[in-house]
């Protein structure tokens, strides 16, 4: 059960524990780790059991030979096929982890924005209440002046208009406060929580920032850029896998069996039965011939995916740089307004 009032740290902690977005991204990491395990496994062997019953009759009228064979077949993942698959799976894990970190950062940002929106709305409500109180006082003074004849009815009407404006401003501020609470509940992943407010205060000072330092930090550590870079590496790994998948995968067959043959013949007027049992060892290698399908389409597809991933990486970098510049401009404007207000 959530507390009715939250601090910023507690709100971020709750969001990390219960938000569906983080849970979904975390499950994707687990799925990628499962694919890594699967990628390193050898293909299963197959067992073929075969029995033959000789139906043909020999000269004496007896049946032909009977044969039983057990054959074990094992595909051989040569040409570095398993290693290439594992490299793709590792790339998927790193990409999923980067995307998980990006989701976590996004959730934290949404929580912070909603939290300070509540603090700002609460301050606006307080100011609006003070304004309504002042408007009530001015209206009372105007009504007294009108009753005493010291002022005309126009002065009282003006005071009533100002009082109505103050009342509307308070209603709007209270509505914004409720909307901010809803935004915070949604951000932490608990839209139905009974949340009445937050514990904290707005900062009284706004520090100076260096946009160049922020851009350098963004390029070196922003999780969205990291995820985009991982997708480029993943596409390269998929191309390497496509280039070995067309190479023939041989299959070794080893079989053992026994041949049983009966023969009856006459010796000195007597019939004799002869039984012969012969062990059989068979082996062979099956090699597919890549005469037509050499994975040409998959190779072309993965090569194009590399270029696509590079282009998307550039798109992400440009978008983040633009958003950062806009944020810096907005911050400097707000900082200038705050400094002017305080002076």
């Amino acid at each position: 059960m959530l507390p009715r009032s939250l601090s910023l740290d507690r709100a971020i902690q709750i969001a990390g524990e219960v938000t569906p977005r983080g849970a979904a991204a975390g499950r994707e990491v687990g799925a990628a780790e499962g694919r890594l395990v699967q990628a390193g496994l050898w293909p299963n062997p197959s067992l073929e059991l075969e029995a033959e019953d000789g139906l043909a009759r020999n000269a004496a009228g007896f049946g032909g030979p009977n044969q039983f064979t057990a054959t074990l077949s094992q595909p051989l993942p040569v040409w570095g096929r398993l290693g290439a698959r594992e490299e793709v799976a590792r790339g998927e894990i790193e990409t999923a982890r980067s995307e998980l970190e990006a989701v976590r950062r996004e959730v934290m940002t949404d929580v912070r924005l909603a939290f300070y929106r509540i603090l700002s709305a609460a301050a606006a409500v307080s100011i609006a209440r003070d304004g309504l109180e002042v408007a009530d006082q001015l209206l009372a003074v105007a009504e007294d002046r009108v009753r005493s004849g010291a002022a005309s009815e126009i002065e009282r009407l003006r005071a009533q208009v100002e009082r109505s404006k103050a009342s509307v401003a308070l209603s709007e501020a209270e509505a914004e406060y409720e909307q901010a609470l809803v935004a915070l509940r949604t951000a932490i992943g608990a839209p139905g929580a009974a949340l009445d407010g937050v514990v904290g205060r707005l900062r009284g000072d706004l520090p100076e920032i260096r946009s160049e330092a922020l851009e350098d930090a963004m390029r070196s550590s922003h999780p969205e850029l990291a995820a985009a870079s991982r997708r480029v590496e993943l596409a390269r790994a998929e191309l390497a896998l496509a280039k070995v998948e067309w190479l023939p995968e041989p299959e070794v067959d080893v079989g053992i069996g026994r041949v049983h043959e009966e023969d009856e013949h006459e010796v000195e007027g007597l019939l004799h039965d002869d039984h012969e049992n012969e062990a059989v060892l068979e082996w062979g290698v099956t090699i597919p011939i890549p005469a037509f399908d050499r994975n040409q389409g998959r190779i072309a597809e993965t090569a194009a995916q590399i270029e696509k991933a590079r282009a998307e990486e550039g798109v992400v970098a440009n978008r983040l740089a633009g958003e950062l510049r806009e944020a810096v401009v907005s911050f400097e404007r707000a900082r200038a307004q705050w400094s002017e207000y305080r002076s």
Side-chain angles (χ1 to χ4, degrees), residues 65-216:
N66 298 324
Q67 181 173 344
F68 175 81
T69 307
T71 303
L72 185 68
S73 301
Q74 174 63 59
L76 301 179
V78 295
W79 315 113
R81 193 182 304 264
L82 290 183
R85 289 174 181 170
E86 289 177 330
E87 194 64 27
V88 170
R90 291 189 188 97
E92 291 176 345
I93 291 175
E94 295 302 321
T95 301
R97 287 174 177 170
S98 297
E99 291 174 347
L100 173 60
E101 182 60 26
V103 170
R104 287 174 175 170
R105 296 277 188 93
E106 183 179 349
V107 169
M108 290 171 61
T109 299
D110 291 345
V111 170
R112 285 192 174 98
L113 290 174
F115 185 88
Y116 286 109
R117 180 183 174 186
I118 292 175
L119 292 179
S120 177
V125 170
S126 179
I127 293 172
R129 285 174 179 168
D130 292 343
L132 181 59
E133 183 178 349
V134 171
D136 286 335
Q137 294 173 357
L138 292 176
L139 178 58
V141 170
E143 288 176 344
D144 290 342
R145 285 170 55 82
V146 170
R147 280 194 296 269
S148 65
S152 65
E153 185 67 19
I154 294 178
E155 183 174 335
R156 184 175 67 84
L157 291 175
R158 288 175 178 171
Q160 288 178 338
V161 170
E162 294 301 323
R163 200 271 177 193
S164 297
K165 290 181 180 179
S167 178
V168 170
L170 177 59
S171 297
E172 292 177 347
E174 290 174 341
E176 169 62 18
Y177 183 79
E178 293 299 325
Q179 292 174 1
L181 286 176
V182 172
L184 181 58
R185 295 187 193 106
T186 303
I188 65 177
L195 181 63
D196 295 333
V198 297
V199 179
R201 62 183 183 86
L202 295 172
R203 293 186 57 173
D205 60 326
L206 296 177
E208 294 184 4
I209 58 175
R210 294 178 56 246
S211 60
E212 297 83 2
L214 291 176
E215 289 183 5
D216 291 341

Side-chain angles (χ1 to χ4, degrees), residues 10 17 57 173 182 202 215 242 245 255 257 316 318 326 342-343:
R10 180 58 176 151
E17 294 172 353
R57 299 286 177 172
V182 172
L202 295 172
E215 289 183 5
E245 280 183 329
V316 171
N318 290 337
E326 291 179 2
R342 294 187 66 183
S343 61

Side-chain angles (χ1 to χ4, degrees), residues 262-330:
E262 296 183 1
D263 185 22
E264 185 176 275
H265 56 279
E266 182 176 349
V267 178
E268 297 179 355
L270 299 176
L271 292 177
H272 293 269
D273 292 332
D274 290 338
H275 302 273
E276 294 184 3
N277 290 305
E278 181 180 357
V280 177
L281 174 63
E282 299 176 346
W283 66 275
V285 178
T286 302
I287 301 177
I289 301 176
F292 307 107
D293 181 3
R294 293 184 293 277
N295 216 23
Q296 301 96 319
R298 178 60 178 163
I299 292 174
E301 177 189 359
T302 51
Q305 289 291 343
I306 294 176
E307 299 305 318
K308 177 185 176 183
R310 285 174 177 168
E312 290 176 344
E313 183 181 17
V315 170
V316 171
N318 290 337
R319 175 177 59 81
L320 292 176
E323 291 176 354
L324 177 60
R325 295 189 185 101
E326 291 179 2
V328 169
V329 171
S330 298

